Amino acid sequence: MEKQQNMPTNTPAKRRVLGPCSHILVAANTGSWRMERPQVDEEACIRCGICSKYCPTACITVNKEGCPLEFDWHYCKGCGICANECPRQALSMIPEGSGE
Ligand code: SF4
Ligand code: SF4
């Protein structure tokens, strides 16, 4: 079995690893709950994937090249856990709709 850290974040397999709560969150359009959204500092991010592992909706994909992170805005609920867990302070939460 492939290690969790090597899996793409938005796969059904990843959600199985996270358990039944993730299925409930995935079934809901949790993106509609969002008041703030994470923004990545591409210079500070080291692509370690810690934010992705902690995200309760498994909506962060870590890229090997280019922009380090992709967020699935249908599911990102703006909880800020990813920003809290980042060891590089590469994520900041900005108001939804701020256009930054
Ligand atoms: S935890 Fe921080 S440094 Fe690691 S991939 Fe996420 S944003 Fe980048
Ligand atoms: S704010 Fe971060 S941890 Fe929370 S749902 Fe969005 S991407 Fe995941």
Side-chain angles (χ1 to χ4, degrees), residues 12-33:
K14 171 78 181 284
R15 291 181 182 135
R16 275 199 299 278
V17 170
L18 293 174
C21 290
S22 70
H23 286 273
I24 294 167
L25 290 169
V26 165
N29 179 13
T30 48
S32 65
W33 305 354

Side-chain angles (χ1 to χ4, degrees), residues 80-99:
I81 291 173
C82 53
N84 285 337
E85 296 299 333
C86 175
R88 300 271 297 174
Q89 289 79 49
L91 287 166
S92 52
M93 300 300 291
I94 62 171
E96 183 65 24
S98 65

Side-chain angles (χ1 to χ4, degrees), residues 6-56:
N6 294 332
M7 288 182 184
T9 53
N10 271 334
T11 63
K14 171 78 181 284
R15 291 181 182 135
R16 275 199 299 278
V17 170
L18 293 174
C21 290
S22 70
H23 286 273
I24 294 167
L25 290 169
V26 165
N29 179 13
T30 48
S32 65
W33 305 354
R34 194 171 61 249
M35 303 294 286
E36 295 184 309
R37 61 188 161 94
Q39 184 176 62
V40 65
D41 177 340
E42 296 186 18
E43 298 298 317
C45 177
I46 57 172
R47 305 173 195 257
C48 66
I50 290 174
C51 55
S52 174
K53 288 179 183 148
Y54 278 92
C55 174

